[in-house]
Amino acid sequence: MIKIYHVKGTRGIRPIWLCEELDVPYEVEVIDFSPVFRNSAEWRNLSPTGKVPVMTEGDITMFESGAMVDYVLEGYGNGRLVPPPRTLASALCRQWCWFAEATFARPLGEIVNHNRVAPNGETVGFVIDDCKARARLCIDAIESVVSNSDYLVGNSFSAADIMMGYSLLLASKFGVLTDDHPHTKAYFDRLDARPGFIAAKNAG
Ligand SMILES: N[C@@H](CCC(=O)N[C@@H](CS)C(=O)NCC(=O)O)C(=O)O
C-alpha cells in the first residue's frame, strides 16, 4: 500500500490527488511540521532535507513530489493521464510537469522562505517583489496556453495539470494569481472543482 507522509495544504497534495484520479489505494500519515520534528533523525532518515512529502511503498521510500507522481503513473497509470510516448503531447506534458516545480514553484517557495527566515522578523520586501514578478512571468506562460485550450496539453486533463494545480494553489494563496490572468484563473477554477483535488486539499 502506498503511504504518503503529508501536512495539510503542502505538496503531498500532488501524489494524493493523482491516487484519487487513478483510484489507487493509499494512506496518509500526517506528520508534525515543526522544525524540531523535521530536523529529527527519525524524519531526516526518510527525508534528508527535512521536507515533506515522503512516499513509501514496501521497501521503497521517496522524496520529491514530482518523482512520486511519475512513480505512481508508472505503476498504476496504465496509460491514463499521460499522452502516448514520443509525441508532441508527451513532450509538452513532461515540460509542464517540470516547469510546475522547477521554474514556477521556485519563486513561490522563496516567498515563503523570505517571509519566514528574515532576521528579527522583518521581511525582505525587494526579494519578495522579485519572486512575485518571476512567478507572474510563469503565469504569463501558462496564460498563453490555457487561453486556447482547457488544460495544459490540449483539452485532456493530464498529470501536468496535477503538478501545476499545486503551484497555482500557492500562487493564488500569495495573491500572485489575479484577474490580470483571466484564462489561468478560469483554468485553476476547473482544476479546483475536481473531486480528486478537493479530496487532496482536505487530506491531513
Ligand atoms: N521539490 C520538493 C519541495 C518540497 C518542499 O519544499 N516542501 C515544503 C512543503 S510544500 C517543505 O517541506 N517546506 C519546509 C522547508 O523547506 O523547510 C517537492 O516537490 O517535494
Side-chain angles (χ1 to χ4, degrees):
M1 164 86 93
I2 287 178
K3 184 195 265 198
I4 298 160
Y5 294 80
H6 178 54
V7 172
K8 191 171 184 173
T10 63
R11 283 170 175 78
I13 283 177
R14 288 175 172 147
I16 293 171
W17 181 4
L18 178 61
C19 287
E20 290 281 337
E21 295 279 352
L22 295 176
D23 253 328
V24 174
Y26 65 93
E27 63 180 295
V28 168
E29 178 153 334
V30 176
I31 74 133
D32 171 2
F33 200 50
S34 70
V36 173
F37 177 73
R38 288 188 298 104
N39 279 326
S40 67
E42 178 191 351
W43 185 247
R44 291 283 171 137
N45 195 33
L46 298 178
S47 175
T49 58
K51 294 180 188 288
V52 289
V54 162
M55 190 174 89
T56 60
E57 188 182 41
D59 57 4
I60 293 171
T61 300
M62 303 175 72
F63 49 90
E64 283 299 330
S65 61
M68 294 169 202
V69 165
D70 269 353
Y71 175 85
V72 172
L73 285 168
E74 183 181 74
Y76 305 100
N78 296 318
R80 290 173 295 169
L81 302 188
V82 285
R86 306 295 301 164
T87 57
L88 171 62
S90 170
L92 294 177
C93 184
R94 287 164 193 274
Q95 168 191 282
W96 288 116
C97 280
W98 279 82
F99 178 91
E101 180 61 17
T103 305
F104 185 22
R106 194 166 154 205
L108 296 170
E110 290 307 308
I111 293 172
V112 182
N113 292 337
H114 288 286
N115 267 324
R116 190 179 53 197
V117 300
N120 306 319
E122 75 269 58
T123 57
V124 188
F126 71 94
V127 177
I128 291 176
D129 288 347
D130 177 60
C131 290
K132 287 188 172 175
R134 286 192 286 134
R136 279 193 203 98
L137 203 57
C138 294
I139 302 176
D140 289 346
I142 299 166
E143 182 80 3
S144 68
V145 173
V146 296
S147 55
N148 294 308
S149 60
D150 284 350
Y151 297 103
L152 289 171
V153 186
N155 290 320
S156 304
F157 176 79
S158 74
D161 302 302
I162 292 180
M163 289 298 294
M164 198 66 82
Y166 178 74
S167 303
L168 284 170
L169 182 66
L170 275 185
S172 167
K173 190 166 145 193
F174 299 146
V176 182
L177 177 59
T178 66
D179 291 337
D180 290 350
H181 293 104
H183 296 287
T184 308
K185 276 195 90 173
Y187 162 64
F188 182 60
D189 287 345
R190 275 193 291 284
L191 299 181
D192 215 28
R194 293 185 79 89
F197 194 15
I198 293 168
K201 282 187 294 181
N202 287 333

